[in-house]
Amino acid sequence: MKLNRLYIVLLILLVFAFSSPWVFAEVDSENVTKLPKSALQLDNASSRDNSTELFYMAQLLRDRSYNTLNLKRYISLVEKNNLDLKIAFKKYKISLLSFAQTLKGYSWNVNFNASAVETFKGKPSFTSQAGFSFIKLIYDGGVGGVLLQEEKIVDDLEREKLISKNDIVVLTAISTYSAKLYSQELLKLLKEQAEKERELFEEVKEIYSKGDGISEYDYLTEKREILNLELILLREMSRSRKADLEFRYLGGIFSKEPIKVEKFNVNYEVYLPGLQKRALVNNSFIKQDRFSYKRDLLGLEEKRKKSFPSISVSGGAGLSHTIGQGGNKNLYYSAGIYLKYPLFDGGIRKIDLEKQKLRIMGSRMRIKRDSELLVKKLSLLFEDFEFYKKEEGFLKKIVAIDKKRVEMAKMKYLKGLGKFRDVRDACRDLINDRKRALKDYIMRNKLLLDMLILAGEKL
């Protein structure tokens, strides 16, 4: 009867051992690989192996054409093609798997053991043995319960790290888009002005050729102004090409067609106190600090519970066979309950608790520090935003006056009633003021978008 029971035990253990990999795999797939619904919408390729060099070369060389892009579409392209985000997403999943691996230590641990040993003690003997062993922690003072609570916090913390990485990428995309838009509009402005200068030069040339009051000095000066404007245009075209390269590489756009970007379309009335309050709630860096603080609190509870006793069960069953020296076959099994109670460790646990308390204090101060820095950052951005907004309003009026001055100076000069210096100064003022107005428009919108991202708003 005892042998029959042993055979039954061995059979049960054998079935459990062979089925356990699939059981554990199902648990892993349900608890580990699930991702938060609000996580970033990265490319669908994240779930398959896209890590080979050939794949990325094919992605890089694929001909894609985007003739006109707005900011929202460009940010979407940057998020989809940015390798830093893809790497961060992999790290996010590794962090979840690492914590799940810790929790798996509380599951049943079953092993198949086998050995074959030859010995010689006056006479040779050969011993073979095969069997199963198991161990299971059934009580750990409550540490496992704390780890289950920590699992959700780890998930939230790692997701916020991923979101903060995405926010940095979006801010970079906004800056790159702003630079591209500025260079695009500035080139348009300079080309318009160059065309008007050429028209003026043709009139000056005609009058000069007739000898009707325009000196050679004025004629040469106007010719110089045309060449100087062409030089400025050439310089800006070089800068524009560089801005276009930055724009394309960040967005993963490798087509030959020229790209035009649309002007900003942001309708948002900024109220600084309300924006700051939303930022303190929604900003991903502040949320990281809060989740880290909660995790440190649970870490203190976890370390305290490690001073409690732990209870585990272990055992095994198998068959041993010895040949020589009166060899025989034996079935064996064992099962037991083990108690472990930490009594004295020289003060290691006490020091560990003090270190964790200091971590908690540091986390609390980090929340306060980062919150103050965020409020200050938004205040500074808002101050610059208000300045560019007001200056842009003034410059629009100044530009309107500049246009009138240019027309009046040209009319007087071509009639022989004014000086060429007045025409030149009026044209320079018009170009400079239009450039300043364009810069203010770009900066006002960029600062507004930066503030919205820092406040946790999605574009």
Side-chain angles (χ1 to χ4, degrees):
M1 290 295 291
K2 289 183 178 180
L3 289 177
N4 289 337
R5 282 201 297 271
L6 288 175
Y7 280 123
I8 292 172
V9 170
L10 283 173
L11 181 61
I12 293 173
L13 289 174
L14 183 63
V15 171
F16 182 75
F18 281 106
S19 65
S20 60
W22 287 275
V23 173
F24 294 154
E26 290 178 3
V27 172
D28 287 344
S29 65
E30 290 176 1
N31 297 333
V32 178
T33 60
K34 65 177 182 179
L35 300 176
K37 294 180 180 178
S38 60
L40 299 180
Q41 298 298 319
L42 297 178
D43 62 324
N44 295 327
S46 298
S47 61
R48 62 181 185 271
D49 184 15
N50 291 339
S51 59
T52 64
E53 184 178 355
L54 287 176
F55 174 84
Y56 281 120
M57 286 300 293
Q59 289 288 91
L60 184 67
L61 298 175
R62 183 179 298 171
D63 187 30
R64 291 170 290 182
S65 174
Y66 302 99
N67 294 326
T68 305
L69 284 176
N70 58 28
L71 178 61
K72 188 173 182 180
R73 174 62 177 147
Y74 182 64
I75 289 175
S76 177
L77 286 172
V78 172
E79 289 177 334
K80 180 180 179 182
N81 294 293
N82 188 269
L83 291 179
D84 287 335
L85 273 184
K86 292 183 178 182
I87 293 170
F89 188 69
K90 299 298 182 185
K91 289 181 178 179
Y92 164 72
K93 293 201 289 186
I94 290 172
S95 299
L96 298 186
L97 288 169
S98 298
F99 195 83
Q101 188 177 19
T102 302
L103 292 177
K104 291 302 175 184
Y106 289 82
S107 301
W108 284 90
N109 194 325
V110 181
N111 299 297
F112 173 75
N113 308 301
S115 63
V117 181
E118 184 176 12
T119 59
F120 182 84
K121 294 181 180 179
K123 292 182 179 180
S125 66
F126 182 82
T127 303
S128 60
Q129 181 176 306
F132 294 90
S133 63
F134 68 91
I135 185 171
K136 174 71 169 72
L137 181 66
I138 59 176
Y139 178 73
D140 63 351
V143 175
V146 175
L147 290 176
L148 287 174
Q149 296 178 51
E150 191 177 350
E151 182 183 24
K152 177 64 171 61
I153 294 176
V154 168
D155 191 350
D156 292 335
L157 175 60
E158 295 302 323
R159 185 180 68 249
E160 290 304 325
K161 288 181 180 178
L162 184 59
I163 292 174
S164 65
K165 184 70 176 178
N166 186 81
D167 287 346
I168 292 173
V169 170
V170 170
L171 289 171
T172 305
I174 292 171
S175 295
T176 307
Y177 188 94
S178 300
K180 167 72 174 173
L181 178 60
Y182 177 76
S183 65
Q184 172 186 291
E185 296 301 311
L186 182 57
L187 274 179
K188 187 190 299 184
L189 184 158
L190 291 175
K191 286 177 181 178
E192 290 175 1
Q193 192 62 33
E195 185 62 31
K196 291 179 180 178
E197 286 287 338
R198 291 189 195 98
E199 292 175 2
L200 175 62
F201 179 71
E202 290 300 322
E203 293 184 62
V204 170
K205 184 178 180 181
E206 183 179 354
I207 297 173
Y208 173 72
S209 62
K210 294 178 180 179
D212 291 341
I214 291 183
S215 67
E216 183 179 4
Y217 179 83
D218 287 349
Y219 170 75
L220 292 175
T221 303
E222 175 58 18
K223 191 173 183 179
R224 181 186 180 280
E225 286 297 310
I226 291 290
L227 293 173
N228 186 56
L229 192 56
E230 293 286 352
L231 181 60
I232 293 173
L233 187 58
L234 179 64
R235 186 183 299 116
E236 289 303 328
M237 288 178 68
S238 176
R239 291 175 181 172
S240 179
R241 282 192 292 269
K242 290 166 66 176
D244 185 69
L245 284 172
E246 293 283 353
F247 181 87
R248 288 173 181 271
Y249 274 101
L250 185 63
I253 306 169
F254 302 100
S255 62
K256 297 179 180 178
E257 289 79 4
I259 300 173
K260 179 182 178 182
V261 293
E262 297 180 3
K263 290 189 176 182
F264 292 112
N265 184 21
V266 187
N267 295 315
Y268 193 91
E269 194 66 33
V270 181
Y271 175 62
L272 182 60
L275 198 66
Q276 289 172 332
K277 287 180 181 178
R278 283 201 299 279
L280 292 175
V281 174
N282 299 320
N283 182 270
S284 57
F285 290 100
I286 303 300
K287 291 172 80 172
Q288 281 183 62
D289 290 343
R290 288 200 293 267
F291 287 130
S292 295
Y293 174 65
K294 290 179 181 179
R295 189 178 186 184
D296 286 339
L297 288 176
L298 285 175
L300 180 63
E301 187 177 355
E302 176 188 340
K303 293 181 184 302
R304 283 173 176 166
K305 291 184 180 297
K306 284 183 178 179
S307 299
F308 294 173
S310 62
I311 301 173
S312 60
V313 295
S314 65
L319 175 67
S320 65
H321 182 204
T322 304
I323 301 175
Q325 295 185 354
N328 53 20
K329 296 181 180 180
N330 293 309
L331 287 170
Y332 67 88
Y333 74 94
S334 65
I337 300 177
Y338 299 87
L339 171 67
K340 181 181 178 181
Y341 201 142
L343 295 177
F344 179 73
D345 61 0
I348 293 177
R349 287 193 302 276
K350 183 177 180 181
I351 293 174
D352 208 18
L353 286 172
E354 291 302 318
K355 286 165 60 180
Q356 190 62 27
K357 290 177 182 177
L358 291 174
R359 290 191 190 99
I360 291 172
M361 293 173 62
S363 295
R364 190 185 301 123
M365 288 186 286
R366 192 157 48 247
I367 294 173
K368 186 175 186 296
R369 180 202 65 189
D370 291 347
S371 297
E372 290 176 353
L373 287 175
L374 179 61
V375 169
K376 183 182 78 171
K377 178 70 173 177
L378 285 170
S379 297
L380 293 174
L381 290 175
F382 181 76
E383 186 64 31
D384 287 340
F385 169 77
E386 285 292 297
F387 167 76
Y388 284 118
K389 183 179 178 180
K390 292 175 182 177
E391 187 180 50
E392 185 185 2
F394 278 104
L395 286 172
K396 285 180 179 179
K397 297 176 182 178
I398 292 173
V399 167
I401 294 173
D402 287 339
K403 290 179 179 179
K404 292 181 181 179
R405 288 176 65 231
V406 168
E407 294 303 320
M408 291 172 63
K410 283 181 181 179
M411 189 179 301
K412 287 183 178 180
Y413 177 67
L414 293 175
K415 289 181 178 181
L417 302 176
K419 298 179 180 179
F420 178 75
R421 183 178 59 188
D422 296 336
V423 179
R424 182 188 59 192
D425 291 344
C427 288
R428 287 180 178 177
D429 289 343
L430 176 60
I431 292 176
N432 290 332
D433 290 335
R434 288 186 68 185
K435 286 172 66 175
R436 288 169 60 194
L438 174 61
K439 179 184 175 182
D440 286 352
Y441 165 77
I442 298 291
M443 291 302 299
R444 172 174 61 83
N445 283 277
K446 181 188 176 299
L447 289 169
L448 175 57
L449 291 166
D450 288 350
M451 287 190 289
L452 293 178
I453 296 298
L454 289 176
E457 301 286 343
K458 299 304 175 185
L459 303 180

